Amino acid sequence: MDIQQRLEALRNEIRRHDYAYYVKDEPTISDYEYDSLMQQLMALEAAHPEFITSDSPTQRVGGKPLEGFETIQHAQAMLSLGNVFSEEELRAFDKRVREALIAEGLLSVGQLVEYDCELKFDGLAMSLRYEKGVLVSAATRGDGQVGEDVTANIRTMRSVPLHLSGQYPEVLEVRGEVLMNRQDFLALNERQAKLGEKTFVNPRNAAAGSLRQLDPRITAKRPLRFFAYGWGEISPNHPVDMGNTQSDRLAYLSSIGFMVAKQRETVNGVEGLWQFFQRISTIRAELPFDIDGVVYKVNALDQQQALGFVSRAPRFAVAHKFPAEEATTVITDIDIQVGRTGALTPVARLKPVFVGGVTITNATLHNEDEIRRKDIWIGDTVVVRRAGDVIPEVVRVLSELRPSTARPFVMVDQCPVCHSAVERLPDEAVTRCTGGLFCEAQRKQSIMHAVSRKALNIDGFGEKLAIQLVDVGLVHSIADVYKLTVEKLIGLDRMGRKSAEKLVAAIEASKQTTLARLIYSLGIRHVGEATARDLANYFGRLEALSQASQDDLLAVNDIGPVGAESIVRFFAEPHNQEVIQALLAAGVVVQELATAAGDVVSPLQGKTFVLTGTLPVWKRDEAAAYILQAGGKVSGSVSKKTDYVVAGADAGSKLEKAQSLGVMVIGEEELRALLGM
């Protein structure tokens, strides 16, 4: 056996022991024997460094500290899940799924849906990318499209295989959760306290903090675990049999080296779902890690594909959250926060209380009417609730404990930030500051919104910097961001020349933007990301949008009278027009559309398209964007109302459904012809 063969044999033996110990929790050798194998491998690699590989067990210990986290674009979006909180909501979910599958011809009337039931881990979502079986990158969820590159830290976790075992596709993205067991969390906090270092609030907080260390050597010392529960990109036309159901896929992930929760079941119908929820509720406290609910997924993958997605969540899955945790505390004061649109939100300042895994000191009171409805006074003893990541809220007042010193809340008549008058329109529950961008609070919030990833996308421009720039008077509107120079930035806190140069480069790069991004960045009330995209596709040019009447706007998909009025009012405000002109004068270049959906009647106008399979050139979202720009519609499922199915390689059940219904099937080349491209 030559040296390379000896090295690989040792590595494979250690990998087997790692899998048995860290994934299966069934150690096969003693610690002494394991350490002996590692020492042999390290000695051989030290003698033959030319044969060291990135997936060797010796390469897990973190290297030098990172300067900062880079970002990774997810090949497939990491979506969130919709939630249900009651048996009634659960039955409504099952009913929607059944009706949709019956309509698609994938379920018979009276037939029960088969579901895969899993745990909802209370950790940090993660995507691991493997190429030719070797771990090449790891990224947090981030905003679902782009996450932080934490590859160096993930490599230190022994429950994450650096090299997959068995059979695997050329590219495989494994999705799952990084977490910390409760006992490990307690031991970590005890060590941190003895060292006089920061302790963590709960296991989730500890896992996130450990994973986001810039020094991987610190992460290597933290007892983190990774549980797999899904997948992202998988290279097409792979010969590996991964199964045709969710439960098959989880079993496959377990077989190639991943830890998968044992507490999972395949059930039929809503009764099976409800029974699983109740069973897990009874053993929740006995689990070694924290969960905040369970997850139900339609088991058959072809049914998942047919159900598709809505907005940012799949239609085929839902999280069933445990009831919110509650605690009792005292309201010491009520402050007013001013939001980006001038909304004044009352916030209760609380005597600190531990609830839902964290210590909370604030709770939203929503608006003045809500305070009156619940009869909340300053000084009251109240019950507060927190569920998952939801902002804590006051559930009810224990009025029998109200002290004589308690006093009622009175809404301010001036903005607490800029002292402008406030107003409350007759049909609204929210009181607003009339100061507009004159108001410093609105200015800060509007700038944070404008530079965010989904708007102008200025990398490295965070909340603290936005606040600082407004405070020192360098930025009064988003247009001023484009006047920033390295010299102006160097004088700010924690801003050296290198950081300043990097930020100015990011600002310069953001000058090339799309019309949809620019519209979204303006922060128009009632105009979110999807509406901004619809407006851009319909009007094509910023000038056309700014001159649109309410009737013009009502012709746009999903825009009603309130939204149309808000858009007209925004563009009628001279100050807003000045900011837009200043942006253009500063060099912002908007990629406007040569042909807008509202200008012409194209062959695609009003036609419904379904995209399936891998197209030769375009990605599916690119093709969808072109269809929308031409006035067409894009659906996730095939029905009799579908006009065209655009099919690529490995089209699957949607193509079969189209053929059975007699729907026109075309390829990318024919789609390009319809688009005139």
Side-chain angles (χ1 to χ4, degrees):
M1 184 183 294
D2 65 23
I3 189 65
Q4 283 183 281
Q5 290 174 325
R6 285 178 61 196
L7 280 167
E8 198 54 36
L10 263 176
R11 289 168 185 154
N12 285 333
E13 186 174 359
I14 291 171
R15 286 170 187 145
R16 287 195 298 273
H17 294 312
D18 278 344
Y19 178 73
Y21 185 91
Y22 293 102
V23 178
K24 304 296 287 183
D25 199 21
E26 297 171 355
T28 49
I29 58 174
S30 69
D31 290 348
Y32 176 81
E33 291 171 307
Y34 181 86
D35 291 341
S36 176
L37 289 172
M38 282 293 290
Q39 287 170 0
Q40 290 179 51
L41 178 59
M42 292 169 69
L44 275 175
E45 288 186 343
H48 302 278
E50 69 275 17
F51 296 139
I52 295 176
T53 60
S54 63
D55 60 336
S56 171
T58 63
Q59 302 304 299
R60 286 192 181 277
V61 178
K64 65 179 182 178
L66 308 171
E67 291 186 5
F69 290 113
E70 300 294 331
T71 57
I72 290 180
Q73 177 84 34
H74 296 304
Q76 290 186 6
M78 291 187 72
L79 302 175
S80 55
L81 292 175
N83 296 320
V84 299
F85 295 92
S86 66
E87 185 178 1
E88 181 182 5
E89 291 177 348
L90 178 60
R91 291 186 181 280
F93 163 73
D94 175 64
K95 181 181 179 184
R96 289 194 301 272
V97 169
R98 278 189 291 109
E99 289 177 347
L101 291 178
I102 289 169
E104 292 288 337
L106 296 174
L107 195 74
S108 303
V109 175
Q111 185 181 357
L112 298 179
V113 180
E114 183 178 76
Y115 293 99
D116 174 75
C117 303
E118 306 167 23
L119 303 181
K120 186 179 185 302
F121 300 105
D122 192 13
L124 193 69
M126 189 63 50
S127 181
L128 311 180
R129 184 178 179 87
Y130 290 82
E131 295 179 2
K132 297 182 178 179
V134 177
L135 176 68
V136 295
S137 65
T140 61
R141 181 197 300 276
D143 65 359
Q145 302 294 330
V146 177
E148 288 179 316
D149 183 350
V150 291
T151 310
N153 292 346
I154 285 291
R155 288 177 60 83
T156 69
M157 295 172 54
R158 294 191 179 275
S159 59
V160 173
L162 299 181
H163 194 294
L164 301 178
S165 58
Q167 300 294 313
Y168 40 78
E170 182 86 5
V171 174
L172 174 63
E173 283 188 352
V174 179
R175 302 279 169 82
E177 201 94 355
V178 172
L179 50 81
M180 188 178 292
N181 280 0
R182 293 193 201 97
Q183 288 299 322
D184 293 332
F185 162 71
L186 294 172
L188 172 64
N189 261 359
E190 187 176 340
R191 289 197 302 272
Q192 294 288 101
K194 285 180 180 178
L195 294 170
E197 297 181 0
K198 173 188 174 184
T199 57
F200 298 96
V201 174
N202 55 37
R204 184 183 191 278
N205 175 254
S210 300
L211 193 62
R212 298 193 72 258
Q213 292 288 330
L214 291 176
D215 187 346
R217 291 171 295 189
I218 297 177
T219 306
K221 298 176 183 177
R222 301 283 173 81
L224 299 175
R225 300 165 189 262
F226 176 80
F227 280 89
Y229 56 62
W231 56 91
E233 182 180 14
I234 301 175
S235 52
N237 303 318
H238 61 83
V240 184
D241 181 11
M242 302 170 68
N244 298 314
T245 66
Q246 180 77 24
S247 52
D248 286 344
R249 287 283 173 93
L250 292 179
Y252 168 74
L253 292 177
S254 176
S255 74
I256 60 172
F258 290 98
M259 193 185 303
V260 178
K262 298 174 183 176
Q263 299 81 7
R264 62 185 196 275
E265 295 178 24
T266 301
V267 304
N268 291 305
V270 71
E271 298 301 334
L273 298 179
W274 182 245
Q275 289 169 16
F276 178 80
F277 178 76
Q278 291 179 312
R279 282 195 295 274
I280 296 300
S281 297
T282 61
I283 66 167
R284 178 185 181 187
E286 301 169 15
L287 295 173
F289 43 74
D290 286 345
I291 62 173
D292 55 2
V294 299
V295 175
Y296 311 126
K297 299 173 184 174
V298 171
N299 201 30
L301 299 186
D302 62 337
Q303 292 183 352
Q304 287 188 10
Q305 185 180 34
L307 290 165
F309 303 86
V310 55
S311 184
R312 298 169 182 269
R315 288 191 178 95
F316 57 80
V318 73
H320 191 165
K321 304 291 281 290
F322 293 128
E325 294 188 47
E326 298 181 347
T328 302
T329 187
V330 175
I331 294 181
T332 59
D333 205 350
I334 296 177
D335 292 342
I336 299 294
Q337 287 185 349
V338 184
R340 175 171 58 86
T341 62
L344 304 185
T345 302
V347 176
R349 303 304 180 194
L350 307 171
K351 184 178 179 180
V353 61
F354 194 77
V355 57
V358 299
T359 299
I360 63 171
T361 56
N362 306 316
T364 181
L365 297 175
H366 302 290
N367 55 57
E368 188 177 9
D369 287 351
E370 187 73 356
I371 293 175
R372 302 283 175 259
R373 186 181 70 80
K374 292 180 178 177
D375 191 28
I376 297 171
W377 288 35
I378 299 168
D380 273 341
T381 298
V382 294
V383 175
V384 292
R385 172 188 295 162
R386 181 181 181 274
D389 291 328
V390 177
I391 298 171
E393 65 172 346
V394 173
V395 180
R396 62 186 180 278
V397 174
L398 302 178
S399 53
E400 66 275 14
L401 299 179
R402 177 172 291 163
S404 59
T405 54
R407 63 188 191 277
F409 169 77
V410 178
M411 177 58 79
V412 297
D413 56 10
Q414 287 186 339
C415 172
V417 176
C418 71
H419 307 296
S420 298
V422 302
E423 66 175 4
R424 179 177 171 181
L425 299 178
D427 296 330
E428 292 193 355
V430 177
T431 302
R432 296 183 188 278
C433 166
T434 60
L437 292 182
F438 169 75
C439 177
E440 189 176 284
Q442 293 182 64
R443 198 181 312 153
K444 291 173 182 175
Q445 294 291 331
S446 67
I447 290 165
M448 283 187 271
H449 170 78
V451 301
S452 65
R453 186 169 284 123
K454 295 176 182 177
L456 294 173
N457 191 25
I458 303 180
D459 190 34
F461 203 126
E463 177 180 350
K464 291 181 180 178
L465 178 61
I467 292 171
Q468 191 178 174
L469 288 169
V470 173
D471 285 343
V472 301
L474 282 176
V475 170
H476 297 87
S477 76
I478 180 56
D480 292 335
V481 169
Y482 291 92
K483 300 175 185 176
L484 295 172
T485 62
V486 172
E487 288 67 30
K488 288 180 180 179
L489 290 167
I490 284 177
L492 300 177
D493 291 343
R494 300 183 179 183
M495 184 65 73
R497 176 167 291 275
K498 186 176 179 181
S499 298
E501 289 174 348
K502 189 174 180 180
L503 180 61
V504 169
I507 292 171
E508 186 66 27
S510 74
K511 287 182 177 179
Q512 300 290 329
T513 191
T514 64
L515 179 56
R517 282 183 176 272
L518 180 66
I519 295 169
Y520 182 58
S521 75
L522 296 175
I524 306 169
R525 283 190 67 200
H526 306 298
V527 176
E529 184 186 4
T531 302
R533 186 170 57 246
D534 289 340
L535 289 168
N537 289 335
Y538 187 85
F539 290 101
R541 297 174 297 283
L542 183 60
E543 183 182 9
L545 172 61
S546 66
Q547 296 174 357
S549 66
Q550 280 190 241
D551 287 341
D552 294 333
L553 290 160
L554 289 172
V556 181
N557 181 45
D558 288 339
I559 291 186
V562 174
E565 182 182 354
S566 177
I567 295 166
V568 169
R569 192 186 307 122
F570 177 89
F571 285 106
E573 170 60 52
H575 173 80
N576 293 333
Q577 291 287 359
E578 289 171 11
V579 171
I580 292 170
Q581 292 308 312
L583 278 169
L584 300 178
V588 173
V589 178
V590 184
Q591 300 167 19
E592 297 183 323
L593 304 180
T595 304
D599 291 340
V600 298
V601 177
S602 81
L604 276 65
Q605 190 77 34
K607 301 292 185 182
T608 298
F609 289 74
V610 171
L611 301 162
T612 183
T614 303
L615 302 181
V617 179
W618 282 339
K619 291 184 177 179
R620 289 212 298 259
D621 56 354
E622 288 181 288
Y626 287 126
I627 291 168
L628 292 169
Q629 288 172 13
K633 301 175 183 177
V634 178
S635 174
S637 59
V638 181
S639 70
K640 292 179 180 178
K641 296 181 180 179
T642 304
D643 295 291
Y644 296 96
V645 167
V646 183
D650 300 321
S653 61
K654 292 184 181 179
L655 175 58
E656 295 172 6
K657 182 71 179 294
Q659 291 168 338
S660 68
L661 293 175
V663 174
M664 175 73 74
V665 177
I666 61 175
E668 182 183 317
E669 187 175 342
E670 292 161 295
L671 175 60
R672 287 173 180 269
L674 285 173
L675 290 164
M677 300 177 70

